[in-house]
């Protein structure tokens, strides 16, 4: 019995010793080779990773801010639209009641109330048409979506490979470009809602590349070949001639409509205010007609402009044109890179272009072939998504 107990005790102690050793090995911190790895400029990998995580935190915060601001400005649009229409209808009703035969103090009170309400509606419409709340909300929605997209790309970079200092610089440049393209404050930095010239939205830093050299032959390097380069050039031509040009044209049409509505609304409420002020005068019939009909038309115009969210439609078309402009610049930037090995992998890039246009790889090749055969006579648009 003593021998058996001693043997069992020794075995138990050995097991405990092995468990402790194993636990100590498993609890050791990761190798410090990452912290000692340095890039050509002397920046350690851990420093670059820390920078990227800091930028990601800032991007996530911006996503939350732009989402909240978009909801707030969408609420502005609904509340202001409802309030102004209610004020306008009340003023028109008072002008009509005043013309039914009121005399003395009741007539003066109704006229004065109607005029004040129309004047208030005119001032509120001027402010609302200036800031275009529906367009402001669309800007913030676009900004939130683009910041989420940037956040996802940074996560992918960290998951697939060790980041370089250039990755951190590019991420910082993209964040600053988005801040400039979609500012948060209203005063001072708000985008012009009625620009003199319509251009596609730009939310990315300028993409530059050296003079294009190209492969020229059939040799394939890094997924690129002469045939793929020609296909990409044809895709760029289609996007420029059809998609970008079409959305810029639509943006111009919507902007003209919005400008007419933005001028007509305050003008009609102003005329209605003048008409209501002259109710009961020798020219009372015309004054009543102006005070009631102009008020009704003002409510209609206001509903068409802000209920239909014409400003949001303009921003949507402008952003769509910007999306195609970005695709053009990304393709051209890759084609202009002299060193093919420094380009994005050709097969992967082709797949990305196809997905962005809502096409399969075979459909993308067919589009390039059709553009090569027909040139400017090609009627097909590049994108099948929108």
């Amino acid at each position: 019995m003593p021998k058996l107990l001693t043997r069992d005790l020794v075995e138990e102690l050995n097991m405990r010793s092995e468990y402790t050793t194993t636990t100590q090995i498993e609890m050791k911190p990761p190798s410090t080779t990452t912290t000692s790895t340095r890039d050509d400029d002397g920046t350690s990998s851990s420093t670059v990773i820390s920078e990227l995580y800091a930028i990601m935190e800032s991007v996530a915060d911006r996503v939350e801010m732009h989402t909240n601001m978009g909801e707030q400005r969408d609420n502005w649009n609904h509340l202001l639209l409802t309030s102004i229409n209610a004020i306008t209808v009340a003023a028109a009703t008072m002008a009509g009641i005043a013309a039914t035969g009121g005399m003395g103090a009741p007539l003066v009170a109704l006229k004065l109330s109607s005029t004040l309400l129309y004047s208030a509606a005119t001032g509120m419409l001027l402010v609302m048409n200036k800031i275009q709340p529906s367009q402001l909300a669309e800007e913030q929605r676009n900004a939130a979506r683009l910041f989420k997209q940037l956040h996802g790309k940074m996560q992918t970079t960290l998951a697939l490979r060790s980041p370089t200092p250039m990755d951190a610089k590019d991420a910082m440049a993209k964040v600053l470009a988005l801040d400039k393209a979609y500012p948060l404050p209203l005063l001072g930095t708000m985008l012009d809602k009625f620009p003199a010239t319509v251009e596609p939205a730009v939310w990315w830093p300028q993409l530059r590349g050296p003079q294009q050299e190209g492969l020229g032959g059939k040799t394939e390097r890094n997924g690129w070949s002469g045939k793929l380069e020609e296909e990409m050039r044809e895709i760029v031509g289609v996007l420029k001639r059809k998609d970008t040009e079409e959305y810029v044209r639509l943006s111009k049409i919507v902007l003209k409509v919005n400008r007419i509505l933005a001028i007509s609304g305050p003008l009609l409420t102003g005329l209605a205010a003048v008409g209501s002020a002259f109710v009961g005068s020798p020219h009372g019939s015309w004054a009543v007609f102006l005070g009631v009909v102009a008020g009704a038309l003002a409510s209609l115009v206001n509903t068409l402009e802000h209920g239909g969210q014409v400003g949001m439609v303009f921003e949507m078309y402008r952003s769509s044109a910007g999306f195609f402009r970005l695709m053009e610049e990304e393709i051209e930037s890759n084609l202009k890179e002299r060193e093919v090995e420094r380009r994005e992998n050709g097969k992967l890039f082709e797949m990305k272009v196809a997905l962005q246009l809502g096409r399969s790889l075979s459909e993308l090749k067919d589009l390039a072939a059709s553009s090569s055969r027909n040139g400017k006579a090609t009627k097909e648009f590049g994108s099948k998504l929108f």
Side-chain angles (χ1 to χ4, degrees), residues 215-236 331 334-335 340 343-351 353 361 364-365 368:
L215 292 176
K218 297 182 179 180
T219 305
E220 182 172 330
R221 290 162 51 194
N222 193 26
W224 288 91
S225 63
K227 182 179 179 181
L228 180 58
E229 288 183 349
E230 290 300 322
E231 288 178 1
M232 290 295 108
R233 290 192 184 96
E234 294 297 335
I235 296 299
V236 169
I331 295 173
N334 272 278
L335 293 177
V340 180
R343 299 179 185 177
E344 188 173 356
N345 182 271
K347 300 296 183 183
L348 178 61
F349 187 73
E350 183 184 21
M351 184 186 71
V353 171
L361 291 176
L364 190 69
K365 294 180 185 295

Side-chain angles (χ1 to χ4, degrees), residues 274-292:
V274 173
S276 62
F278 286 96
V279 172
S281 66
H283 302 285
S285 58
W286 286 102
V288 172
F289 181 82
L290 192 62
V292 176

